[in-house]
Amino acid sequence: MRIALAADHAGYALKDELAAWLRDQGHDVTDLGTNGGESVDYPQFGARLARHVGDGLADRGIAVCGSGIGISIAVNRDPRCRCARVDDPLSAALAREHNDANVLALGARLVGPDMAKACVAAFLDTDFAGGRHQRRVDQLSQSLQDSD
């Protein structure tokens, strides 16, 4: 699977560990930065990841910042992305199964490497259920004016 990762300064170490782990599993990994602890702005890296996934250059994305919240908001500004911020494997699996999430967001200050890997594994191993969930997912990409 083609997986793109992006992080800010608070999340780069976890991003790097996840990237190496994913490569060891045979995935095609693209690292979109950042690659150090110098302060950067998470919206730039979230937008970069969203464009990469939205343009079809990756099948899935993983976004990491301190809490996972800010970068998930940045990714979700692109209507082609459905980014779910999770702390546990069940939430990661349900984000795929029910919401067809194509980006996973993690908080490096909130989850350790082992839990992050468990979340990513659940995210990658779970298929979208489709069915009744499809119409809801379709609505997520519509503009607010279209949903009245």
Side-chain angles (χ1 to χ4, degrees):
M1 188 177 298
R2 298 173 306 154
I3 304 167
L5 294 93
D8 71 354
H9 56 280
Y12 87 93
L14 180 58
K15 172 195 58 80
D16 288 352
E17 186 166 343
L18 292 172
W21 176 71
L22 289 165
R23 284 185 184 106
D24 287 347
Q25 293 183 355
H27 295 287
D28 178 6
V29 174
T30 301
D31 185 337
L32 300 172
T34 195
N35 296 305
E38 184 175 326
S39 184
V40 296
D41 298 328
Y42 62 80
Q44 295 175 3
F45 291 91
R48 184 180 297 170
L49 179 61
R51 280 191 307 273
H52 202 81
V53 172
D55 289 347
L57 301 173
D59 303 306
R60 306 264 174 85
I62 300 170
V64 188
C65 71
S67 67
I69 297 168
I71 203 163
S72 70
I73 293 170
V75 171
N76 279 321
R77 289 185 169 270
D78 187 322
R80 302 172 298 176
C81 292
R82 291 169 304 285
C83 180
R85 186 219 164 272
V86 304
D87 291 324
D88 62 89
L90 178 58
S91 296
L94 290 172
R96 283 286 311 133
E97 185 178 350
H98 291 185
N99 308 113
D100 197 20
N102 53 5
V103 180
L104 186 73
L106 298 164
R109 294 177 177 146
L110 304 175
V111 298
D114 290 339
M115 181 57 74
K117 290 174 185 175
C119 291
V120 170
F123 177 68
L124 298 178
D125 293 342
T126 303
D127 292 325
F128 176 50
R132 71 178 196 267
H133 303 291
Q134 184 63 58
R135 77 173 180 276
R136 297 167 185 151
V137 169
D138 292 342
Q139 292 172 39
L140 292 173
S141 296
Q142 294 175 352
S143 71
L144 293 176
Q145 293 82 15
D146 293 343
S147 62
D148 289 337

